[in-house]
């Protein structure tokens, strides 16, 4: 295809602002999906996406569009909407020349959209602003067109107004894409270079890799080379999605399509990597390459210890399609055999856990998530701590924790409430801007550990649901952190250790000690529960002893009742874990670890 007629674009939108619905109308108007085959949110095909209504993996669709007697080839690249997948978003943007900024005309722009808009501007994409859902009675297109023009410049009258639902304005939008978004430029004679912006594992076809060709071309049956690893593969199939896969002879400058090489693991086909030809390799990777880095770690343990091999197999399967998922075996005295699993963020953790439970039928306990700390011991050695149990004993000279740059958008009446919350979470304000008279953008620097738990829930409840949040990693900082251990009869219970800010350590210790006192049944002897920082005890509770024989309340009378009681007791024993000499029911661990 002549690069002059190619237009590559993505849609930047907040969840529920109508991206999938608009994509449906485009598929219809360009004729690539026949009316009788049309179903809502056509492109969201993964089950998990349908369930949660969000797009996790990006995809690319090729559509033809006639304009002034010429047939253009559009490649619409779908970007994941959530902050946990921001590296994938940035690669998808890098594969485009333009972006549609899609904003719900009854809601206005939200924090995540803003973050992706800034990313698109950094990549020098042409932005076409579009107000959607103008059919809604509550739509206020004039007001939000002002807001958008204020943000990106230009005249509010130039902001397109469409309805993905009724189709109004969508043809005009397709024409604007031809007129405003530049055609791709690249050197057709140069060695091939194609950037991977997504790779997906398919049970039948193995890994399907989505690429944007920058220079040269790739052809069917050619041997290709992954530039970050040097690994080579034969191109068994190359083609475009329209939206069903259509094999072609090859892909040239500016084209977007898929490759199949028979590899079985997405880690061999990494998002951000550059594909070149083995016979005539290029010498530079496109735009640098980042390995996905897990930000949040949690221990996952099967409730039924015999499920451990099933959990291992399930994690290995998920990893085929999720290059960002990392895990290694972990043994806990309290919880048995499990895995320490690394995630990009809390949503990633939640989705993974949900899939393990629903698709693999596993019952899991997960320990409180924590971030990565760099702990410098007194002897100068630096420990990378992803698990409280790796925290070095003895004195430490410095602890560094990851920090993020967070953006919150709220109606101005809630500014005070947001500031209060951010301050309580050790945040420092970096700036504040009025998007309009009623809406404010607040920028904070916050420790990642303070926002991974319940920050978003708190933010929502303090702003009646109006706030939107986005954040991205911004290095690390030194902090006054300590490890708090929980001891039962003098023995540490590893699953309950936590790394917290010194100011929160006491509260954590008191809370865990009193929770456990409620949850652990009385034993034949007294059991002290202690919370400690090193050897210093900061909180203490006691579980008093029982001496009574369980059978004594039966007055020696009814034999069958006695037997029943004994059996019941035996059953209970099975679900008990021994911590030192203390019997702890498994339910106590689960309840103590659940956050509320
Ligand atoms: P996405 O999360 O951005 O992909 O949003 P969806 O396309 O899934 O749309 C979210 C909700 O808004 C759905 O209930 C759609 O039916 C609805 N919606 C999308 N576009 C329009 C529109 O133009 N008008 C109206 N009234 N509703 C719309
Ligand atoms: Mg969607």
């Amino acid at each position: 295809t002549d690069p002059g007629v190619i237009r590559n674009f993505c849609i930047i939108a907040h969840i529920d602002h109508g991206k999938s619905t608009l994509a449906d109308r485009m598929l219809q108007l360009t004729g690539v999906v026949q009316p009788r085959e049309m179903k809502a949110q056509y492109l969201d095909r993964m089950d998990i996406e349908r369930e949660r209504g969000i797009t996790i993996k990006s995809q690319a669709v090729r559509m033809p569009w006639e304009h002034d007697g010429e047939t253009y080839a559009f490649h619409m690249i779908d970007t994941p909407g959530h902050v946990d997948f921001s590296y994938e978003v940035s690669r998808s943007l890098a594969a485009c020349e333009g972006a549609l900024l899609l904003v719900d005309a009854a809601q206005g722009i939200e924090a995540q959209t803003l973050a992706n808009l800034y990313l698109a501007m950094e990549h020098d994409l042409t932005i076409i602003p579009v107000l959607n859902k103008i059919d809604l009675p509550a739509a206020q297109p004039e007001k939000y067109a002002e807001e958008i023009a204020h943000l990106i410049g230009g005249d509010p009258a130039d902001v397109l107004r469409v309805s993905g639902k009724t189709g109004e304005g969508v043809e005009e939008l397709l024409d604007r894409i031809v007129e405003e978004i530049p055609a791709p430029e690249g050197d057709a004679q140069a060695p091939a270079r194609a950037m991977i912006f997504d790779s997906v594992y398919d049970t039948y076809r193995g890994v399907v890799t989505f690429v944007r060709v920058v220079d040269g071309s790739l052809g069917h049956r050619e041997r290709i080379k992954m530039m970050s690893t040097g690994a080579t593969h034969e191109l068994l199939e190359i083609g475009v999605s329209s939206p069903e896969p259509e094999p072609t002879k090859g892909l040239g400058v500016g084209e977007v399509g898929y490759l199949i090489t028979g590899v079985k693991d997405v880690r061999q086909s990494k998002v951000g990597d550059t594909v070149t030809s083995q016979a005539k390799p290029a010498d530079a990777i496109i735009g640098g390459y980042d390995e996905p880095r897990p930000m949040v770690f949690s221990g996952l343990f099967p409730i039924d210890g015999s499920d451990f091999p099933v959990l291992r197999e399930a994690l290995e399967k998920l990893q085929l399609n999720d290059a960002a998922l990392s895990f290694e075996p972990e043994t806990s005295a309290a919880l048995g055999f499990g895995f320490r699993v690394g995630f990009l963020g809390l949503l990633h953790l939640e989705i993974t856990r949900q899939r393990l439970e629903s698709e693999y039928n596993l019952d899991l306990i997960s320990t409180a998530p924590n971030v990565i700390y760099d702990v410098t011991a007194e002897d100068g050695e630096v420990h990378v701590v992803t698990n409280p149990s790796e925290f070095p004993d003895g004195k430490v000279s410095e602890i560094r924790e990851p920090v993020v740059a967070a953006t919150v958008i709220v109606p101005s009446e809630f500014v005070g409430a947001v500031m209060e919350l951010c301050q309580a979470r050790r945040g420092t304000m970096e700036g504040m801007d009025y998007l309009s008279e009623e809406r404010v953008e607040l920028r904070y620097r916050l420790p990642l550990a303070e926002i991974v738990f319940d920050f978003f829930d708190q933010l929502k409840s303090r702003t009646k649901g109006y706030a939107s949040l986005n954040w991205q990693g911004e290095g690390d900082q030194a902090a006054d952190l300590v490890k708090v251990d929980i001891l039962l009869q003098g023995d540490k219970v590893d699953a309950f250790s936590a790394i917290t800010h010194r100011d929160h350590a006491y509260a954590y210790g008191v809370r865990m000690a009193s929770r456990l006192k409620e949850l652990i049944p009385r034993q034949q002897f007294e059991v002290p529960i202690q919370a400690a920082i090193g050897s210093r005890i900061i909180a203490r509770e006691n579980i008093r002893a029982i001496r009574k024989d369980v059978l004594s309340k039966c007055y020696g009378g009814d034999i069958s009742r006695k037997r029943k009681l004994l059996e019941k007791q035996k059953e209970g024993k099975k679900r008990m874990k021994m911590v030192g000499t203390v019997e702890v029911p498994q339910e106590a661990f689960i309840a103590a670890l659940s956050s509320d």
Side-chain angles (χ1 to χ4, degrees):
T1 312
D2 167 17
V5 299
I6 295 175
R7 297 292 182 273
N8 295 327
F9 65 94
C10 56
I11 305 179
I12 296 173
H14 188 69
I15 284 169
D16 282 346
H17 280 204
K19 185 165 80 169
S20 301
T21 307
L22 179 65
D24 288 348
R25 291 296 83 67
M26 291 184 173
L27 295 175
Q28 254 176 342
L29 281 169
T30 58
V32 296
V33 177
Q34 299 309 313
R36 70 193 139 76
E37 289 163 355
M38 195 67 213
K39 35 185 195 286
Q41 278 107 24
Y42 192 91
L43 299 172
D44 300 347
R45 275 178 292 183
M46 273 174 78
D47 280 355
I48 191 93
E49 290 184 2
R50 278 196 184 277
E51 251 168 56
R52 299 198 150 231
I54 54 172
T55 306
I56 300 161
K57 279 291 182 183
S58 48
Q59 273 176 314
V61 183
R62 185 171 171 122
M63 298 177 278
W65 185 243
E66 305 274 342
H67 181 68
D68 282 348
E70 179 77 75
T71 306
Y72 290 84
F74 286 176
H75 297 124
M76 177 172 66
I77 293 173
D78 197 12
T79 51
H82 195 273
V83 52
D84 283 7
F85 306 93
S86 66
Y87 180 63
E88 301 193 4
V89 176
S90 93
R91 293 305 86 197
S92 303
L93 295 177
C96 301
E97 277 75 27
L100 312 184
L101 173 64
L102 187 73
V103 177
D104 185 326
Q107 303 281 332
I109 204 156
E110 301 289 359
Q112 264 163 43
T113 323
L114 200 60
N116 288 347
L117 171 65
Y118 292 151
L119 257 181
M121 287 165 133
E122 272 171 40
H123 285 283
D124 279 330
L125 303 195
T126 298
I127 312 287
I128 300 182
V130 183
L131 281 167
N132 188 30
K133 308 197 189 181
I134 51 163
D135 61 292
L136 284 177
Q140 294 179 278
E142 303 310 319
K143 174 176 161 188
Y144 292 118
E146 291 272 352
E147 207 176 278
I148 292 170
H150 177 76
L151 258 177
I152 63 170
D155 188 336
D158 289 339
V159 177
L160 269 175
R161 282 131 221 240
V162 309
S163 166
K165 189 172 172 186
T166 66
E168 187 181 347
V170 180
E171 288 192 36
E172 192 189 342
L173 170 59
L174 293 167
D175 287 336
R176 286 272 288 266
I177 290 169
V178 173
E179 290 160 2
E180 293 182 19
I181 296 177
E185 285 171 13
D187 184 349
Q189 307 312 317
R193 289 201 302 167
M195 186 195 65
I196 301 179
F197 61 88
D198 198 8
S199 68
V200 186
Y201 175 78
D202 180 298
T203 327
Y204 302 104
R205 307 198 292 167
V207 172
V208 181
T209 303
F210 290 89
V211 297
R212 145 79 195 252
V213 178
V214 174
D215 293 319
S217 62
L218 295 171
H220 180 55
R221 288 286 162 193
E222 186 173 344
R223 267 202 98 74
I224 55 161
K225 184 169 142 186
M226 301 295 179
M227 289 187 72
S228 76
T229 59
T232 68
H233 309 281
E234 186 183 350
L235 275 185
L236 303 179
E237 185 178 322
I238 184 166
V240 297
S241 317
S242 194
E244 299 308 322
E246 289 174 9
T248 61
K249 288 208 177 75
L251 294 173
V253 169
E255 284 191 290
V256 174
Y258 68 87
L259 314 174
I260 292 173
T261 61
V263 303
K264 288 272 176 265
D265 180 341
V266 288
R267 285 170 301 171
Q268 290 173 271
S269 199
K270 300 175 187 172
V271 171
D273 201 356
T274 299
V275 178
T276 189
S277 106
Q278 188 191 23
K280 191 182 159 197
D283 41 50
I285 279 189
I286 303 156
Y289 164 70
D290 267 346
E291 290 279 340
R293 256 168 314 159
M295 303 281 274
V296 176
F297 290 80
S298 171
L300 290 183
F301 295 87
I303 286 183
D304 179 347
S306 66
D307 276 343
F308 177 76
V310 184
L311 178 58
R312 177 199 296 279
E313 214 171 281
L315 284 167
E316 280 167 358
K317 283 229 178 84
L318 290 185
Q319 205 172 41
L320 291 177
N321 199 17
D322 186 350
L325 187 70
S326 64
F327 59 90
E328 52 185 59
E330 175 179 9
T331 314
S332 155
L335 303 176
F337 295 107
F339 292 93
R340 192 81 194 156
V341 189
F343 304 94
L344 293 172
L346 277 200
L347 179 75
H348 190 205
L349 187 162
E350 224 184 279
I351 290 172
T352 306
R353 197 188 149 143
Q354 188 198 329
R355 293 185 68 166
L356 290 169
E357 296 196 323
S358 67
E359 293 170 29
Y360 298 92
N361 213 5
L362 287 161
D363 285 322
L364 300 171
I365 310 182
S366 54
T367 60
N370 64 264
V371 302
I372 305 181
Y373 300 99
D374 284 339
V375 182
T376 311
E378 226 181 2
D379 60 11
E381 194 185 337
V382 180
H383 301 252
V384 178
V385 173
T386 61
N387 188 340
S389 68
E390 297 163 346
F391 201 89
D393 290 326
K395 276 217 166 109
V396 296
S397 56
E398 189 187 54
I399 306 175
R400 300 189 72 81
E401 63 175 344
V403 284
V404 302
T407 306
V408 177
I409 295 183
V410 274
S412 41
E413 58 193 293
F414 298 115
V415 166
V418 174
M419 288 170 118
E420 218 172 81
L421 174 64
C422 291
Q423 252 134 43
R425 300 301 176 93
R426 300 192 280 129
T428 42
M429 184 147 107
E430 305 231 289
M432 178 163 131
D433 279 313
Y434 278 82
L435 296 173
S436 67
E437 269 167 35
E438 299 122 63
R439 298 214 310 150
V440 182
E441 174 192 354
L442 290 146
R443 289 187 300 278
Y444 269 87
R445 195 176 149 82
L446 284 152
L448 175 60
E450 296 284 349
I451 69 170
V452 290
F453 297 99
D454 60 342
F455 184 83
F456 191 55
D457 293 340
Q458 285 287 329
L459 185 67
K460 282 279 180 195
S461 76
R462 285 168 193 231
T463 60
K464 303 212 174 96
Y466 281 111
S468 62
L469 166 75
N470 192 71
W471 52 265
Q472 64 195 71
E474 212 188 43
D476 61 0
Q477 67 184 14
D480 190 11
L481 304 171
V482 291
K483 180 187 172 203
V484 182
D485 289 314
I486 305 294
L487 296 86
L488 277 188
Q489 235 193 13
D491 289 322
K492 264 185 219 170
V493 188
D494 52 7
F496 295 139
S497 295
I499 297 168
T500 74
H501 192 264
R502 192 180 298 276
D503 292 348
H504 303 324
Y506 177 73
Y508 177 80
V510 170
R511 193 174 69 237
M512 281 314 254
S514 67
R515 248 191 211 177
L516 289 174
K517 183 183 175 181
E518 295 303 313
L519 293 166
I520 298 175
R522 290 162 72 181
Q523 318 264 322
Q524 304 292 339
F525 41 84
E526 185 176 275
V527 179
I529 307 170
Q530 296 160 308
I533 300 174
S535 56
R536 192 161 58 84
I537 305 299
I538 57 168
R540 183 188 176 102
E541 295 276 1
N542 260 326
I543 303 173
R544 278 185 296 126
I546 37 161
R547 238 167 259 283
K548 250 187 280 158
D549 182 344
V550 270
L551 298 183
S552 64
K553 57 176 125 151
C554 299
Y555 305 112
D558 183 343
I559 285 287
S560 73
R561 200 170 149 209
K562 257 189 204 170
R563 191 174 298 129
K564 254 190 209 145
L565 250 176
L566 277 170
E567 270 164 17
K568 229 176 166 182
Q569 208 187 24
K570 241 204 225 146
E571 230 172 71
K573 275 245 166 56
K574 275 195 287 190
R575 279 181 271 112
M576 293 283 181
K577 298 254 182 187
M578 295 299 290
V579 176
T581 52
V582 185
E583 283 182 340
V584 182
Q586 187 144 27
E587 287 69 39
F589 284 118
I590 300 168
L593 283 169
S594 74
S595 53
D596 55 11

